[in-house]
């Protein structure tokens, strides 16, 4: 959530920065409601002061034995004020709620150094690692080689769920499990504390990280409860600290978490209808950081390195792409995508998004910190990134590690987890 004070004091700046995302954004309706709320608060304060004064006068007159004739006008005015204040308080609550709703609809401001652009065509490649090679022998797409050896199946998954779900069998299931364990172990060694959070969260949690109210249609809701299937571990892990005041000495906080992820939006793209690239349910290992604002930028760069280190250990070619303003996610102020090379498709595909949210999520979720010896509090900065999307990692392995005979070599770092060299 944006700082309301910033919107009040620099509306032109806020509107201009938001306009670099996806068209003009009018903050005037929000400012108009804010002005109404403040005017009502001022009026209510004045009337409350008058009401308090009348109460004091009545008390003093009663102590001096004043007649009812003298007291009656004051008591009548007191009743009028009481009724007026009740009406003002109700109106103020309703307008404050409306103001909050308008604030929750606004995306984050892009960081000043983010490339300005309308869509993904303006994204900037910042680094390339490994050779995006073309194999000398025929390579099957990952869904074909997986189906050939019965590592992946969609028909039975569709029968028990619907399209965009898969079932992994045998070596396919083992590889998925090995990747999850290896990724978690890798990050724990780099200083992240593992968390296994609930896979269902309440509406307040989704609001805290920015999925609600704007993206309700992209999430799966439980009809009879205020619970939602998580779209990513970012939601429960970040919200573990909701409405808390941390000490500055506790920062930075690093967490890694494996969870299944559930996203309704997967079916809306009209592409990637086969394989592991875009599913309604998929496994992911997520990195979440809660940090001091002064270290936020450096922590973001390290987050990217931590995610990229997995791809380098797997010997999978990748590139780092900085997203332009028009391609940023709703809550991100800056984001780098890691795109892995898929040998059969001869293209790079996103495998991780590493985002810095600044204090955007912290304002929504009420996560603050206090410096030692100081009374006031400030909002923390939150960051997260996939490290990695497990299904997409498997897809890259199945394509980049295919041998001429059609079998698949297991990357060396995964062989101890699989107990063999070939799938």
């Amino acid at each position: 959530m944006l700082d309301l004070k910033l919107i009040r004091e620099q509306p032109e700046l806020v509107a201009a920065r938001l306009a670099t995302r996806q068209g003009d954004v009018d903050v005037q309706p929000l400012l108009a409601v804010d002005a109404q709320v403040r005017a009502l608060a001022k009026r209510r304060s004045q009337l409350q002061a008058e009401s308090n004064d009348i109460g004091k006068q009545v008390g003093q007159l009663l102590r001096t034995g004043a007649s009812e004739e003298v007291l009656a006008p004051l008591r009548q005015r007191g009743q009028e004020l009481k009724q007026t204040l009740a009406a003002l308080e109700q109106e103020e609550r309703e307008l404050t709620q409306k103001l909050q709703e308008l604030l929750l609809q606004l995306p984050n401001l892009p960081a000043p150094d983010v490339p300005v652009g309308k869509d993904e065509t303006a994204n900037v490649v910042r680094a390339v690692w490994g050779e995006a090679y073309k194999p000398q022998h025929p390579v099957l797409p990952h869904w074909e080689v997986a189906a050939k050896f019965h590592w992946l199946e969609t028909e039975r998954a569709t029968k028990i769920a619907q399209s965009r779900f898969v079932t992994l069998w045998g070596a396919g299931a083992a590889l998925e499990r090995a990747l999850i364990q290896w990724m978690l172990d890798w990050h724990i060694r780099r200083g992240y504390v593992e968390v296994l959070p609930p896979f269902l969260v309440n509406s307040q949690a989704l609001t805290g990280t920015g999925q609600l109210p704007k993206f309700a249609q992209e999430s799966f809701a439980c009809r009879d409860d205020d619970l939602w299937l998580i779209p990513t571990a970012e939601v429960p892990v970040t919200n573990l600290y909701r409405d808390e005041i941390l000490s500055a000495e506790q920062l930075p906080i690093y967490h890694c978490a494996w969870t299944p992820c559930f996203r309704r939006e997967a079916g809306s793209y009209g592409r990637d209808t086969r394989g592991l690239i875009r599913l309604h349910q998929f496994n992911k290992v997520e990195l979440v950081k809660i940090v001091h604002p002064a270290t936020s930028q450096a922590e973001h760069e390290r987050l990217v390195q931590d995610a990229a280190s997995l791809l380098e250990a797997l010997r999978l070619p990748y590139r780092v792409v900085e997203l332009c303003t028009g391609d940023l996610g709703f809550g991100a102020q800056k984001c780098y995508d890691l795109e892995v090379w898929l040998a059969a498709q001869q293209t790079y595909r996103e495998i991780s998004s590493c985002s810095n949210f600044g204090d955007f999520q912290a304002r929504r979720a009420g996560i603050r910190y206090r410096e030692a010896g100081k009374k006031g509090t400030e909002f923390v900065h939150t960051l997260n990134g996939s490290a990695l999307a497990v299904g997409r990692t498997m897809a890259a392995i199945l394509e980049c590690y295919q041998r001429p005979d059609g079998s698949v070599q297991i990357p060396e770092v995964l062989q101890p987890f699989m107990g063999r060299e070939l799938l």
Side-chain angles (χ1 to χ4, degrees):
M1 187 163 58
L2 298 183
D3 183 356
L4 180 55
K5 182 180 178 183
L6 176 64
I7 301 174
R8 287 173 185 160
E9 296 178 352
Q10 301 186 63
E12 296 84 4
L13 171 66
V14 171
R17 294 269 292 282
L18 289 177
T20 65
R21 279 180 165 270
Q22 293 177 355
D24 292 337
V25 176
D26 187 3
V27 298
Q28 292 307 313
L30 183 149
L31 290 173
V33 175
D34 180 49
Q36 288 179 277
V37 171
R38 287 189 290 165
L40 279 173
K42 182 179 180 180
R43 176 63 175 156
R44 178 176 52 78
S45 179
Q46 292 170 340
L47 294 180
Q48 186 64 59
E50 183 183 351
S51 178
N52 293 341
D53 185 57
I54 288 175
K56 291 178 182 179
Q57 290 182 51
V58 170
Q60 291 171 352
L61 289 170
L62 285 171
R63 285 193 294 274
T64 61
S67 67
E68 186 60 31
E69 184 178 0
V70 173
L71 293 171
L74 290 172
R75 285 175 169 165
Q76 181 178 354
R77 177 57 179 163
Q79 286 298 319
E80 292 173 355
L81 287 172
K82 184 178 180 179
Q83 293 173 2
T84 301
L85 283 168
L88 285 176
E89 288 169 358
Q90 177 62 25
E91 186 178 1
E92 188 179 353
R93 280 194 296 270
E94 292 174 357
L95 282 172
T96 300
Q97 178 64 29
K98 183 177 180 180
L99 178 63
Q100 182 76 0
E101 291 170 356
L102 290 171
L103 277 170
L104 290 174
Q105 291 289 338
L106 290 178
N108 201 355
L109 298 181
D113 61 342
V114 172
V116 175
K118 183 178 180 181
D119 53 36
E120 62 183 11
T121 60
N123 293 344
V124 179
V125 177
R126 295 301 187 192
V128 177
W129 187 92
E131 180 184 357
Y133 63 94
K134 184 175 183 179
Q136 300 302 308
H137 58 85
V139 174
L140 294 175
H142 70 273
W143 59 86
E144 290 189 18
V145 68
K148 176 182 176 181
F149 293 103
H150 198 238
W151 298 330
L152 178 150
E153 189 177 69
T154 58
E155 290 184 4
R156 285 192 173 98
T158 301
K159 179 172 66 175
I160 63 173
Q162 57 177 251
S163 62
R164 298 300 178 97
F165 289 87
V166 299
T167 300
L168 298 175
W169 298 75
L175 179 57
E176 180 100 350
R177 175 165 44 85
L179 281 166
I180 293 168
Q181 185 64 66
W182 172 70
M183 290 176 184
L184 287 172
D185 289 352
W186 184 273
H187 295 309
I188 291 168
R189 288 196 299 270
R190 295 174 78 93
Y192 290 85
V193 177
E194 183 180 2
V195 177
L196 185 60
F199 303 158
L200 289 164
V201 296
N202 55 35
S203 295
Q204 193 174 355
L206 280 173
T207 301
T209 45
Q211 285 77 19
L212 290 181
K214 192 173 180 63
F215 302 103
Q217 296 303 313
E218 297 181 5
S219 298
F220 288 97
C222 299
R223 294 183 183 276
D224 297 330
D225 305 277
D226 178 29
L227 290 172
W228 304 72
L229 288 167
I230 60 170
T232 166
E234 162 201 344
V235 177
V237 175
T238 303
N239 277 278
L240 289 174
Y241 298 91
R242 191 176 72 220
D243 297 326
E244 292 189 16
I245 298 176
L246 307 169
S247 68
E249 290 73 20
Q250 289 177 267
L251 305 177
I253 294 171
Y254 301 155
H255 286 306
C256 62
W258 157 78
T259 65
C261 304
F262 305 89
R263 298 186 185 179
R264 189 183 298 277
E265 53 85 22
S268 66
Y269 284 78
R271 61 173 183 164
D272 299 323
T273 57
R274 295 176 292 180
L276 298 166
I277 299 299
R278 202 177 299 279
L279 299 171
H280 286 308
Q281 175 187 325
F282 58 95
N283 286 308
K284 185 154 65 77
V285 173
E286 190 80 0
L287 303 180
V288 173
K289 291 186 174 188
I290 298 175
V291 306
H292 193 287
T295 65
S296 179
Q297 185 173 346
E299 292 285 5
H300 191 199
E301 298 296 329
R302 182 186 164 188
L303 181 69
V304 176
Q305 294 170 8
D306 288 342
S309 67
L310 294 170
L311 295 171
E312 293 177 14
L314 290 168
R315 312 299 298 172
L316 292 172
Y318 71 90
R319 65 184 185 182
V320 180
V321 178
E322 183 176 1
L323 302 193
C324 71
T325 55
D327 202 28
L328 280 177
F330 178 78
Q333 67 176 22
K334 189 170 186 176
C335 180
Y336 295 102
D337 276 1
L338 298 181
E339 297 181 346
V340 69
W341 180 251
L342 296 181
Q345 300 169 59
Q346 290 291 288
T347 189
Y348 287 100
R349 296 302 301 270
E350 177 199 333
I351 196 169
S352 171
S353 286
C354 296
S355 299
N356 187 343
F357 297 91
D359 63 8
F360 186 81
Q361 290 182 332
R363 286 182 181 278
R364 298 169 75 105
I367 310 173
R368 298 172 178 266
Y369 73 97
R370 178 181 286 115
E371 298 280 4
K374 294 185 178 180
K375 292 183 178 180
T377 62
E378 302 290 340
F379 290 104
V380 300
H381 280 198
T382 61
L383 305 90
N384 67 61
S386 307
L388 298 161
V390 181
R392 294 189 178 202
T393 306
M394 183 187 294
I397 291 171
L398 293 179
E399 295 194 11
C400 291
Y401 276 85
Q402 271 187 58
R403 292 151 45 108
D405 64 1
S407 62
V408 176
Q409 179 82 25
I410 298 173
E412 185 176 352
V413 292
L414 293 179
Q415 290 176 15
F417 294 86
M418 296 288 290
R420 49 181 160 166
E421 297 182 2
L422 296 175
L423 284 178

